[in-house]
Amino acid sequence: MEIAAKSNPTPYKVIKLISGEDIFCKIIQEYTDAIVVECPMSINRHQVMDTPEHIVEHTGLQRWINFTHDNSFVIDKQKIMGFGNLAPEVVVYYKMVSKKIQMEEDGETGNAEHDALVKQMNENVSKLEKILEDNEVEDNEKVTHVQPNKTLH
């Protein structure tokens, strides 16, 4: 299976995994057994009551894998059920969302107050890491609770 074929120049793909997930991504590298994708996004759908008689489905993108600052991931080709090119209008939306996520990770949202808070938080985390490094303790010193020798009845 060749996903990033030379006859198909766009690297922006939608990938259907065997788990049922749809992923929007940019393919960076392709190997015989795996692909490396950049900024994979899963589709987030939720329904909202527009009026008491009318339900609207909102669709958006979210990080595929949370709680990491990694931007590229390896996907085993055996986990891929199918793939296709992203429509041009979806590529524009994908680029916009991925750029916004990258700016947030860099601490630049355009909101001066928010950016200042993020900067302060990062400085505090750095200070805390330094304090922890300077005060390293042995594993046996990390005991926070000792069981008393007396048995109470």
Side-chain angles (χ1 to χ4, degrees):
M1 167 187 347
E2 195 170 327
I3 296 174
K6 294 188 180 21
S7 62
N8 196 351
T10 181
Y12 298 99
K13 305 289 183 188
V14 57
I15 298 174
K16 181 73 152 185
L17 299 178
I18 59 175
S19 65
E21 290 179 285
D22 292 323
I23 299 172
F24 293 179
C25 62
K26 178 180 180 183
I27 296 182
I28 300 174
Q29 187 75 38
E30 183 169 0
Y31 299 98
T32 55
D33 60 342
I35 58 172
V36 180
V37 298
E38 180 180 68
C39 200
M41 306 260 186
S42 62
I43 299 170
N44 181 16
R45 296 182 185 102
H46 63 280
Q47 295 181 343
V48 178
M49 295 286 289
D50 190 30
T51 64
E53 301 86 29
H54 190 250
I55 297 176
V56 177
E57 183 174 88
H58 291 272
T59 304
L61 297 177
Q62 65 184 20
R63 290 182 180 102
W64 179 47
I65 298 178
N66 293 307
F67 309 111
T68 181
H69 292 289
D70 294 343
N71 196 32
S72 58
F73 300 89
V74 177
I75 300 175
D76 187 338
K77 284 187 175 179
Q78 292 181 349
K79 304 296 181 186
I80 297 173
M81 193 163 63
F83 61 90
N85 295 324
L86 281 178
E89 61 273 15
V90 178
V91 171
V92 170
Y93 180 62
Y94 167 81
K95 286 180 178 180
M96 181 185 71
V97 172
S98 59
K99 182 178 178 182
K100 182 179 177 191
I101 288 173
Q102 189 61 46
M103 286 175 57
E104 287 176 358
E105 287 181 355
D106 294 341
E108 303 168 10
T109 63
N111 179 332
E113 184 179 349
H114 180 267
D115 292 348
L117 289 171
V118 169
K119 182 180 177 187
Q120 182 64 47
M121 182 186 71
N122 288 335
E123 289 172 1
N124 290 343
V125 167
S126 296
K127 289 177 186 176
L128 184 59
E129 287 173 342
K130 175 130 178 54
I131 290 169
L132 290 173
E133 286 176 11
D134 293 345
N135 295 317
E136 282 192 27
V137 294
E138 297 295 320
D139 284 341
N140 60 354
E141 294 177 21
K142 292 181 183 176
V143 176
T144 59
H145 182 293
V146 177
Q147 195 72 312
N149 291 336
K150 296 179 184 177
T151 305
L152 299 175
H153 296 283

